[in-house]
Amino acid sequence: EAGVVQSPRYKIIEKKQPVAFWCNPISGHNTLYWYLQNLGQGPELLIRYENEEAVDDSQLPKDRFSAERLKGVDSTLKIQPAELGDSAVYLCASSLGSAEAFFGQGTRLTVV
Amino acid sequence: KNEVEQSPQNLTAQEGEFITINCSYSVGISALHWLQQHPGGGIVSLFMLSSGKKKHGRLIATINIQEKHSSLHITASHPRDSAVYICAVRFSHDMRFGAGTRLTVKP
């Protein structure tokens, strides 16, 4: 069975442009997480979904970041407009409730 | 102060050496994860444990709940073990991550 699938793997954009990341969690996993990982640091939670409901988005910079998980399966994370400081790895993870979380390969974003 | 502290931050070893990476945390947890991250960015879960000790191949993870401390050991290290190892603690639905330990194993 496929694990957590993210796309794209790499993205380079100019500042002020929009960008979107996509995540397909493991089948049956109701909990989905988006994390931001800066170089040399551990991942930090941006948003957590339980099915289609965003139950923790307190760390999501809502002026430029948005996320959705319309049918409780796939999710997209969008940044508009991107800033230089948004360059990082964006990780998606999924779990069945509070059981072990599984991570995707991540999307490495470079804003120039 | 970070809720999850890892040490060392960087570690260089010769092939065959025994490796220990430490993790201390300051919150009550339901489980602790050891994760491996290669340069491409993807994270692989090595262990999830809530008590005692687990072993998988050359990897051993231990946890002491009372002392809020966990260790990851690698026996007979190999250059392919070179990666960033991240400790993550879970409480309820939240996870907190350490900054990672960058391990380089030289042949």
Side-chain angles (χ1 to χ4, degrees), chain A residues 9-10 31 33 35 37 39-45 48 50 56 89 91 95 97-106 108, chain B residues 9 30 33 35 37-48 84 86 88 90 92-100 102:
Chain A
R9 287 293 314 278
Y10 305 93
T31 304
Y33 312 79
Y35 291 97
Q37 186 179 24
L39 189 64
Q41 299 181 24
E44 298 175 1
L45 181 70
R48 174 169 63 89
E50 297 290 342
D56 184 355
V89 174
L91 290 161
S95 67
S98 58
E100 183 176 8
F102 294 84
F103 290 81
Q105 290 291 307
R108 184 178 295 277
Chain B
Q9 194 172 8
S30 57
H33 297 258
L35 310 169
Q37 186 172 35
H38 281 281
I43 290 179
V44 174
S45 179
L46 299 175
F47 295 103
M48 184 177 77
V84 174
I86 301 172
R90 191 178 194 100
S92 183
H93 288 282
D94 283 344
M95 289 182 72
R96 295 286 187 268
F97 297 80
R102 182 174 297 278

Side-chain angles (χ1 to χ4, degrees), chain A residues 28-81:
Chain A
H29 281 191
N30 60 324
T31 304
L32 184 145
Y33 312 79
W34 281 104
Y35 291 97
L36 163 71
Q37 186 179 24
N38 288 305
L39 189 64
Q41 299 181 24
E44 298 175 1
L45 181 70
L46 288 172
I47 189 167
R48 174 169 63 89
Y49 282 94
E50 297 290 342
N51 300 304
E52 67 274 10
E53 182 182 359
V55 295
D56 184 355
D57 62 355
S58 57
Q59 302 302 312
L60 188 73
K62 298 183 182 63
D63 55 337
R64 297 184 301 107
F65 285 66
S66 65
E68 60 183 15
R69 193 185 185 199
L70 293 175
K71 296 182 178 179
V73 181
D74 295 5
S75 177
T76 56
L77 177 69
K78 298 178 182 178
I79 308 174
Q80 181 169 11

Side-chain angles (χ1 to χ4, degrees), chain B residues 32-104:
Chain B
L32 181 143
H33 297 258
W34 280 104
L35 310 169
Q36 181 190 56
Q37 186 172 35
H38 281 281
I43 290 179
V44 174
S45 179
L46 299 175
F47 295 103
M48 184 177 77
L49 65 166
S50 55
S51 65
K53 174 180 175 179
K54 287 190 175 181
K55 184 177 189 293
H56 185 253
R58 295 181 295 106
L59 302 178
I60 303 167
T62 64
I63 187 169
N64 185 318
I65 295 294
Q66 287 73 30
E67 295 185 3
K68 293 187 169 60
H69 181 270
S70 175
S71 293
L72 175 68
H73 306 285
I74 305 175
T75 61
S77 59
H78 189 275
R80 65 174 174 266
D81 297 327
S82 298
V84 174
Y85 292 85
I86 301 172
C87 171
V89 298
R90 191 178 194 100
F91 46 100
S92 183
H93 288 282
D94 283 344
M95 289 182 72
R96 295 286 187 268
F97 297 80
T101 295
R102 182 174 297 278
L103 171 66
T104 303

